[in-house]
Amino acid sequence: MTSEKVNAELSKDPRIGACVYLLHGLLQRLEQQRPGLIADMTEGVVYDRAAMNPEASASAAHGCEIADEALRMLRLMSEQMKLTQPPAPDA
């Protein structure tokens, strides 16, 4: 089975979607308690991703895909958090 076929099968698994949904909500709640958490996590993933060479091996390429998806999710959460915050008062 090719990795694309495995990924297609996994994307149909509702457990994976449920995990993503729950982690998304959990990280947003943690961000409310600890402002800057998502930005710190994003920075860490950016550094990790920069150190990866997708051409080194199939597992390294898969690691890059995971890091890229993590960055997409963290950036989405960050943007969503901005929408829920009240505007800053004018100085």
Side-chain angles (χ1 to χ4, degrees):
M1 190 178 295
T2 67
S3 66
E4 285 182 25
K5 188 168 183 172
V6 169
N7 288 338
E9 290 298 316
L10 289 175
S11 67
K12 295 177 187 176
D13 188 339
R15 294 173 297 176
I16 293 172
C19 288
V20 170
Y21 175 77
L22 293 172
L23 286 171
H24 190 97
L26 177 63
L27 285 171
Q28 286 183 322
R29 283 173 179 77
L30 286 171
E31 175 68 21
Q32 290 173 335
Q33 293 176 0
R34 294 186 53 202
L37 176 77
I38 291 175
D40 289 345
M41 290 181 71
T42 302
E43 184 178 359
V45 176
V46 165
Y47 287 125
D48 289 345
R49 175 60 178 89
M52 296 178 190
N53 177 3
E55 296 179 14
S57 67
S59 62
H62 184 65
C64 289
E65 290 173 353
I66 291 169
D68 290 341
E69 180 61 15
L71 282 172
R72 186 195 68 77
M73 292 171 65
L74 288 164
R75 289 173 176 151
L76 173 63
M77 283 181 237
S78 180
E79 290 302 313
Q80 288 174 335
M81 294 299 295
K82 289 177 189 174
L83 295 175
T84 63
Q85 295 172 355
D90 291 335

